[in-house]
Amino acid sequence: MSFYATTSWHRSSLDTPIPLYASHSPGELRGKKPIVIMGGVHGDEPEGVRLAQDTLDWVTKQPTESVCPWILVPILNIDGYNARTRGNGR
């Protein structure tokens, strides 16, 4: 399965790029209702990041027609994750 990946959709308060992956490009997702998965909301909880990364690995190996549209952000709080703290860069 091919998928869309970008690090330019958003940046943290410390200007760190936040990666985003999707089953389709933004234009192709318009009008669809994708499943949204976010990991790493709390930087000191790496399990959510691992689960999101494992989900990304699994979903990208599936045939395109067998998976509904999706968007996945494995590490939403990237600054907190890098610092191993609950809070973000502020």
Side-chain angles (χ1 to χ4, degrees), residues 15-74:
D15 203 36
T16 308
I18 300 172
L20 176 141
Y21 303 88
S23 59
H24 300 77
S25 69
E28 294 171 321
L29 281 173
R30 194 166 286 120
K32 298 183 188 298
K33 295 180 180 178
I35 292 174
V36 178
I37 300 167
M38 290 187 202
V41 175
H42 299 133
D44 62 349
E45 297 175 355
E47 300 86 356
V49 175
R50 174 65 191 266
L51 179 60
Q53 290 171 332
D54 288 350
T55 301
L56 178 63
D57 184 50
W58 177 83
V59 77
T60 56
K61 293 177 181 173
Q62 304 308 307
T64 304
E65 63 277 354
S66 69
V67 180
C68 67
W70 54 269
I71 298 170
L72 193 144
V73 179

Side-chain angles (χ1 to χ4, degrees), residues 3-27:
F3 61 95
Y4 174 81
T6 184
T7 58
S8 63
W9 77 281
H10 198 66
R11 297 181 88 75
S12 72
S13 61
L14 297 179
D15 203 36
T16 308
I18 300 172
L20 176 141
Y21 303 88
S23 59
H24 300 77
S25 69

